[in-house]
Amino acid sequence: DVKVTQSSRYLVKRTGEKVFLECVQDMDHENMFWYRQDPGLGLRLIYFSYDVKMKEKGDIPEGYSVSREKKERFSLILESASTNQTSMYLCASCVIGSEQYFGPGTRLTVT
Amino acid sequence: GEDVEQSLFLSVREGDSSVINCTYTDSSSTYLYWYKQEPGAGLQLLTYIFSNMDMKQDQRLTVLLNKKDKHLSLRIADTQTGDSAIYFCAVGDEIKAAGNKLTFGGGTRVLVKP
């Protein structure tokens, strides 16, 4: 079974803090994705990576950066968290042309 | 860019059929997916259809695709309380070297009443 894990289920941070969200997959998938999920807006793609050290901006990359130093790990970084980044963050991975497998999500609250 | 629309909410009685609708704008969308999200969980792929198909059936699930109207639907037969969840429609471009980028709809919350 494919397993995608995220480092935290719930996270509370203060405005201006640097925040790291970690995602690990155990199926040697080339592609990894970070989405945010907000009510009524569905999932919006922040960044994705199709190989180690490779990254592409998604639809809403502003305020975020990513790091993929190892194939199994994809990190989302909020350099200076703001209240409008309070959201559910979902990580996914897949091989090229296949379905995406999702982690359980991290609910981030920025106060 | 691609736009994917779904209604926000659907309420059905246990044992009835549920039909969740989705419309999209990009006619070159090749892969069309339905994901299910249960409370507190990530998304789970339910089923998918390729754009060269009109219908796909998988046990209680039936997917219908109307390419002319760019309309996708998911029918759940004999809906059970365990089917209460948020259902997301997602569409994907042609496979590119960079991987399968998907555009998601806003999700339809399905509530099954006993």
Side-chain angles (χ1 to χ4, degrees), chain A residues 9 31 33 35 37 40-43 45 48 50 57-59 90 94 96-105, chain B residues 8 31 33 35 37 40-45 48 86 88 95-107:
Chain A
R9 293 299 303 271
N31 303 314
F33 307 80
Y35 295 90
Q37 180 184 11
L41 297 178
L43 275 70
L45 183 64
F48 69 101
Y50 52 90
K57 292 180 181 178
D59 301 316
L90 290 164
C94 70
I96 294 175
S98 179
E99 65 178 277
Q100 292 186 16
Y101 292 86
F102 283 82
Chain B
L8 287 178
Y31 298 81
Y33 300 84
Y35 281 86
Q37 184 182 35
L43 274 68
Q44 173 193 4
L45 180 67
Y48 62 92
I86 303 175
F88 289 93
I95 299 301
K96 301 172 185 173
N100 193 8
K101 282 181 63 179
L102 300 180
T103 302
F104 285 80

Side-chain angles (χ1 to χ4, degrees), chain A residues 33-109:
Chain A
F33 307 80
W34 273 108
Y35 295 90
R36 63 176 283 177
Q37 180 184 11
D38 300 289
L41 297 178
L43 275 70
R44 293 179 291 167
L45 183 64
I46 304 171
Y47 267 96
F48 69 101
S49 167
Y50 52 90
D51 203 349
V52 174
K53 296 193 188 295
M54 306 303 287
K55 60 186 178 186
E56 292 263 346
K57 292 180 181 178
D59 301 316
I60 50 163
E62 296 78 19
Y64 303 95
S65 62
V66 290
S67 171
R68 186 130 181 239
E69 295 297 318
K70 293 185 178 180
K71 192 174 186 180
E72 67 270 18
R73 187 180 296 269
F74 192 34
S75 304
L76 180 69
I77 304 154
L78 287 66
E79 293 289 342
S80 177
S82 63
T83 54
N84 63 13
Q85 292 177 310
T86 291
S87 187
M88 168 73 90
Y89 290 87
L90 290 164
C91 173
S93 73
C94 70
V95 294
I96 294 175
S98 179
E99 65 178 277
Q100 292 186 16
Y101 292 86
F102 283 82
T106 296
R107 188 168 292 282
L108 172 67
T109 303

Side-chain angles (χ1 to χ4, degrees), chain B residues 47-105:
Chain B
T47 187
Y48 62 92
I49 192 168
F50 298 130
S51 59
N52 60 356
M53 300 162 67
D54 296 322
M55 187 184 88
K56 181 178 180 182
Q57 187 149 5
D58 184 2
Q59 298 181 341
R60 291 191 298 123
L61 305 178
T62 303
V63 180
L64 294 177
L65 175 60
N66 181 329
K67 289 183 285 293
K68 176 174 164 290
D69 294 339
K70 300 191 198 103
H71 182 266
L72 183 72
S73 68
L74 174 69
R75 179 176 179 269
I76 306 172
D78 186 25
T79 312
Q80 303 297 306
T81 53
D83 295 324
S84 290
I86 303 175
Y87 291 81
F88 289 93
C89 166
V91 299
D93 294 327
E94 291 282 342
I95 299 301
K96 301 172 185 173
N100 193 8
K101 282 181 63 179
L102 300 180
T103 302
F104 285 80

